[in-house]
Amino acid sequence: MGKRVAIIGAGVSGLASIRCCLEEGLEPTCFERSNDIGGLWKFLDHAEEGRASIYQSVFTNSSKEMMCFPDFPYPDDYPNYMHHSKLQEYIKTFAQKKNLLRYIQFETLVSSIKKCPSFLVTGQWEVVSEKDGKQESTIFDAIMICSGHHVYPNLPTDSFPGLHQFQGHYLHSRDYKDPDAFKGKRVLVIGLGNSGSDIAVELSRLATQVVISTRSGSWVMSRVWDNGYPWDMVYVTRFASFLRNALPSFVSDWLYVKKMNTWFKHENFGLMPLNGSLRKEPVFNDELPSRILCGTVSIKPNVKEFTETSAVFEDGTVFEAIDSIIFATGYDYAYPFLDDSIIKSRNNEVTLFKGIFPPLMEKPTLAVIGLVQSLGAAIPTADLQARWAAKVFANSCTLPTTNEMMDDIDEKMGKKLKWFGQSQTLQTDYITYMDELGSFIGAKPNIPWLFLTDPQLALEVYFGPCSPYQFRLMGPGKWDGARNAILTQWDRTVKPTRMRAVGKAQRPQHFYNLLRILSFSVLLLAVWLTFY
Ligand SMILES: Cc1cc2nc3c(=O)[nH]c(=O)nc-3n(C[C@H](O)[C@H](O)[C@H](O)COP(=O)(O)OP(=O)(O)OC[C@H]3O[C@@H](n4cnc5c(N)ncnc54)[C@H](O)[C@@H]3O)c2cc1C
Ligand SMILES: NC(=O)c1ccc[n+]([C@@H]2O[C@H](COP(=O)([O-])OP(=O)(O)OC[C@H]3O[C@@H](n4cnc5c(N)ncnc54)[C@H](OP(=O)(O)O)[C@@H]3O)[C@@H](O)[C@H]2O)c1
């Protein structure tokens, strides 16, 4: 066997990492503090220390064709958006079929990772793990940190004057499991992310009144997109990504805002983001507008202060007789087992090359997998990140120089602020990012070549969903089933919804869409040429 790699965490990032290490002939050991795989997707009825915690009603907001391991499609009868239990079932099947479980040490906490004294020469790390109260120290050649970033709650109590005198009960969304305890109560949810809106909608059926307070608003999208297809199968395409990046920003911003407002006018629901053109992660919630129309959820601005029983909002209005406050205010990430300066090497900000490698490290033997956030799904992103990291560890890929990596980080930081605004996570544009990673390992699909050699496939790759299979279509790590998986992705999408067969199954018409978009662009160009 090759070099020894320690993998911290057996969620989807950890599982992807084990598999990619094996593909490169490395020797992985995965440490998992809990007694199971799946990480966040392993549901428990109480929050466990150091592990992400979800509520009972969570469904994915990425669809199954877009969030699979790229050589492991979901069974065709799986629903497009899955309950967490269904996703966990898939994750377990993947781990079993790929024979990954034997590399995992369960109920083993990694408490410390430190560079060995010989690091400058060997790049090795000392990993201290704890099981049944016993500590063990082991030397590894490389580290993959896969410990998740939805673990440590951001509970901004200091931002809310008067909270200390509030006599009701408050909690973070991490500790919310189901609505039973809120029956007949008046509940204030702070934060309009996916957690806040999911929880508010669920509570609205049992609670007397639910109010969401949002400081900057959010776009709310339906999972059910144009013509009833899953949103990401239609929105996350290479062609759409090309248009978004090629159009002048005022046109692309205008189109974005227009698209986001087609389902309903966000101004009328109080949801409108303060900066609507920022590509901040939207909320995916099919029911929120309807709950607002029914009056069981109301939207309010930020809380100015709390009294013993009520919240006073910034517009001077008051929500009285509050029983509970749920802070759905997101997460901070932390790596308590690692010296902070390794990941936050500048201005206390995460400074990682492509969101993976600390650029100032003397030896490239540490990678963070799963920290970036995009409109694409976590599983294929982790798979590609892990493939690249494993190749770097195996010396079959090299990283650029420190200066080149720092320049790239600075350039990306500028773009990130322009597109996504200030945010805790490493937000990135999915397809651009995946193609960048793919280029490092020779797995980026060669579209012109595909158009010459396999036009049917090329059309689906370029105009259809940028599904994970695309990144195992060619180059090292190629999966022979990728072509077929891409050409049959719409069959698997439609299968679970077409339980009663009436007429022929429909799929999107790429050519028709192309014509529509081209004629719209020509029209825009004509208007622009006329007036400027
Ligand atoms: C409610 C919710 C819904 C989401 N829905 C989607 C979705 O629809 N689509 C999507 O793509 N993404 C979604 N996400 C994002 C989600 O983070 C990813 O899907 C994915 O699960 C992250 O996997 P991970 O392996 O990186 O981290 P995790 O799943 O958090 O796994 C980390 C693992 O590391 C272990 N660990 C941590 N520290 C240690 C240690 N010191 N020693 C040993 N083990 C350790 C933990 O026990 C855990 O098992 C959602 C997130 C949330 C919070
Ligand atoms: N169904 C699903 O698939 C699902 C469900 C839940 C979560 N998730 C995922 O899990 C991740 C975490 O989601 P999340 O909703 O828990 O967190 P989040 O997306 O980070 O949203 C946090 C919300 O809290 C607000 N907030 C933060 N600090 C605040 C403060 N000091 N004062 C007032 N408001 C504050 C934010 O406002 P600003 O916007 O102004 O910063 C934002 O609206 C996301 O990636 C999400 O997609 C998915």
Side-chain angles (χ1 to χ4, degrees), residues 189 191-205 210-214 217-223 263-264 266 269-272 282-299:
V189 176
L192 184 61
N194 280 295
S195 299
S197 40
D198 271 0
I199 292 171
V201 163
E202 180 166 71
L203 289 180
S204 69
R205 302 189 186 286
V210 180
V211 169
I212 300 180
S213 157
T214 172
S218 287
W219 291 118
V220 177
M221 289 166 60
S222 171
R223 287 176 172 87
W263 185 24
F264 64 92
H266 282 63
F269 287 68
L271 295 164
M272 184 75 188
V283 163
F284 295 90
N285 200 299
D286 304 276
E287 293 175 82
L288 183 59
S290 129
R291 303 317 298 163
I292 298 173
L293 281 180
C294 294
T296 52
V297 175
S298 320
I299 307 296

Side-chain angles (χ1 to χ4, degrees), residues 40-41 54-55 57-62 149-150 154-157 159-160 172-174 190-198 213-218 223 280-284 302-303 327-331 373-374 422-425:
L40 179 136
W41 298 106
I54 51 175
Y55 34 95
S57 59
V58 170
F59 277 77
T60 64
N61 55 23
S62 319
H149 63 99
H150 294 119
N154 167 37
L155 192 55
T157 48
S159 314
F160 294 98
H172 188 269
S173 57
R174 169 181 160 79
I190 297 185
L192 184 61
N194 280 295
S195 299
S197 40
D198 271 0
S213 157
T214 172
R215 65 177 174 189
S216 55
S218 287
R223 287 176 172 87
K280 211 176 72 165
E281 188 186 15
V283 163
F284 295 90
N302 207 14
V303 174
F327 284 89
T329 39
Y331 294 87
Q373 183 134 349
S374 73
Q422 279 289 358
S423 94
Q424 282 289 306
T425 42

